[in-house]
Amino acid sequence: MDFSLNDEQRMILDTVRQFVTRELMPLERKVVEAEIENRAFPDPETLRGLRSRAKDLGLWGLTEPKEYGGADLGSLTAALVTIETSRALVPFQYGGHVPNLLYSCTPAQRSRYLLPLLAEERRVAFAMSEPNIGTDAGAMQTTAVWSGTHWVINGQKTWISRGHKADFAIVLAVTDKALRARGGITAFLVDREMGFESRPLVMMAQSDMGDAQPAELNFKDTVVPAENVLGEVGNGLKAAMATIGHSRIQASARAIGAAQRLLEMAVEYAKVRISFGKPLADYQAIQWMLADSAVELRSALWLTLHAGWKVDQGLETRFEESMAKLTGAQTAWRVADRVLQIHGAMGYSKELPIERVMRQLRVYRIYEGADELQKINIAKGLINGSGSLTF
Ligand SMILES: Cc1cc2nc3c(=O)[nH]c(=O)nc-3n(C[C@H](O)[C@H](O)[C@H](O)COP(=O)(O)OP(=O)(O)OC[C@H]3O[C@@H](n4cnc5c(N)ncnc54)[C@H](O)[C@@H]3O)c2cc1C
């Protein structure tokens, strides 16, 4: 078992570190000031500039195929890049990311949806969750009925990231009520002009949302042509679930990177904050919080990298992806809480980024599959044998 990075990975991470220290970390103070003034930062123009400079360094479309101009890093290297990038406490993600599901498009769909998305000329939202269903996606209520010449969609989606800004949405809808999750849910490419309305929703980490701010989408007799089915009729949910797992690895990586940076802040603070005549770092109660955080973060890191490695080997990864996402999300939240505790009132205030990052980290325990869903997947893996410990 060899845990060392290859030359290419080292080179990529050096580039990422340069970008993070030169471009992102100097903005951290501005993010704190914006938070105090109750406005979002980076603003769209700053974000565009950052993305474009990152693109010049090859940091764009991290996991997208080379033939589409992506970096095609693979899941493990992309996770390393994401961890390093998330250490900057600045809301930022590299450009050129496309929902994997879109690669199942037809040639005509490619030029209308996939290519403009990669060129950042259009924006997409992925619409699965609804007001009455979330985790239990197979029970969705939005329907698409074939009229003989086109599909007609009716229903409501909610919590849809970028839902208010998207030019089109990948919408999952029931096309066969008897089959549902077993071949009765289809994915559609729905342009805003085909007729859906959106309402932005205000979230806990609002200032971090940027363009990704979730929205409610309403479909009322929305007419969608036959050629806008994405993939096969009836295969939408299955295809979505097959691709969603990989993004869980990157979600875990984002949480781990930010929590690692918070831990480093706590170590520095503990060394200089004097209480009862000694630095906090001299007290065992504080040391244990630091030690627990380091061990838990390192465990989450290895689970995440291992899951990424398995994806890159083309192995079955549902079990590992769930373990990585669950541990990354829960650990980051616990670490943030301890870091805030070590900083006392300073941690609770907006003078430092801790409370903001903590609010941002909370979402990882809910989206991309909540903690409980990950545990359901893990338990299933144990029961059906796919999660057996083998070497
Ligand atoms: C910021 C943000 C962005 C999002 N972006 C998108 C998006 O782009 N597209 C999209 O489709 N959705 C999106 N979502 C929705 C997200 O996928 C759902 O929130 C998630 O799937 C959980 O569904 P729910 O919130 O309806 O919770 P529910 O399914 O109602 O569950 C409520 C709670 O009960 C638990 N629970 C549910 N079932 C079980 C069970 N069987 N056993 C034990 N516990 C259970 C859940 O884990 C959760 O803790 C987003 C959510 C957020 C917060």
Side-chain angles (χ1 to χ4, degrees), residues 15-227:
T15 307
V16 173
R17 254 175 233 126
Q18 271 182 35
F19 177 75
V20 167
T21 42
R22 284 187 196 160
E23 299 279 355
L24 294 183
M25 285 185 174
L27 298 180
E28 285 180 336
R29 195 61 226 163
K30 285 191 174 181
V31 178
V32 167
E33 284 163 12
E35 186 69 29
I36 290 170
E37 291 161 17
N38 205 15
R39 61 185 166 80
F41 186 82
D43 53 77
E45 204 188 318
T46 308
L47 213 47
R48 260 196 304 279
L50 287 169
R51 288 213 176 115
S52 144
R53 288 193 291 284
K55 189 175 182 181
D56 291 343
L57 295 169
L59 299 169
W60 188 89
L62 297 186
T63 51
E64 309 311 319
K66 280 228 157 61
E67 59 179 302
Y68 291 104
D72 205 2
L73 293 186
S75 192
L76 168 59
T77 309
L80 288 167
V81 169
T82 302
I83 290 167
E84 197 59 43
T85 309
S86 304
R87 291 181 67 254
L89 303 179
V90 173
F92 172 80
Q93 283 190 33
Y94 298 108
H97 177 66
V98 172
N100 276 348
L101 197 53
L102 209 47
Y103 287 106
S104 59
C105 61
T106 63
Q109 291 171 345
R110 189 177 309 150
S111 46
R112 179 153 174 76
Y113 299 100
L114 181 60
L115 298 181
L117 200 61
L118 285 162
E120 298 198 317
E121 291 159 7
R122 300 190 83 193
R123 279 177 286 202
V124 67
F126 172 73
M128 181 163 77
S129 306
E130 299 183 357
N132 293 323
I133 68 101
T135 306
D136 183 13
M140 68 177 62
Q141 293 166 353
T142 298
T143 55
V145 176
W146 179 245
S147 75
T149 53
H150 53 257
W151 294 93
V152 181
I153 298 187
N154 276 291
Q156 196 180 45
K157 297 288 179 182
T158 195
W159 316 123
I160 308 307
S161 300
R162 275 176 306 281
H164 197 54
K165 297 273 171 78
D167 302 295
F168 68 97
I170 299 172
V171 181
L172 294 188
V174 179
T175 42
D176 186 327
K177 283 187 181 161
L179 288 177
R180 290 196 158 271
R182 288 170 292 105
I185 293 178
T186 303
F188 295 89
L189 291 161
V190 185
D191 292 280
R192 192 171 284 272
E193 305 82 67
M194 289 175 187
F196 67 82
E197 305 217 319
S198 59
R199 180 176 73 89
L201 301 164
V202 178
M203 310 303 281
M204 180 166 161
Q206 183 57 23
S207 52
D208 279 284
M209 292 294 159
D211 269 5
Q213 179 176 11
E216 178 187 283
L217 309 184
N218 285 291
F219 301 84
K220 200 164 175 290
D221 294 330
T222 304
V223 171
V224 178
E227 61 266 25

Side-chain angles (χ1 to χ4, degrees), residues 357-375:
V357 174
M358 195 171 174
R359 279 184 283 120
Q360 179 212 346
L361 286 173
R362 188 61 181 83
V363 79
Y364 291 107
R365 295 190 51 204
I366 297 171
Y367 75 0
E368 308 268 4
D371 287 358
E372 292 74 14
L373 177 68
Q374 309 309 338
K375 288 190 192 181

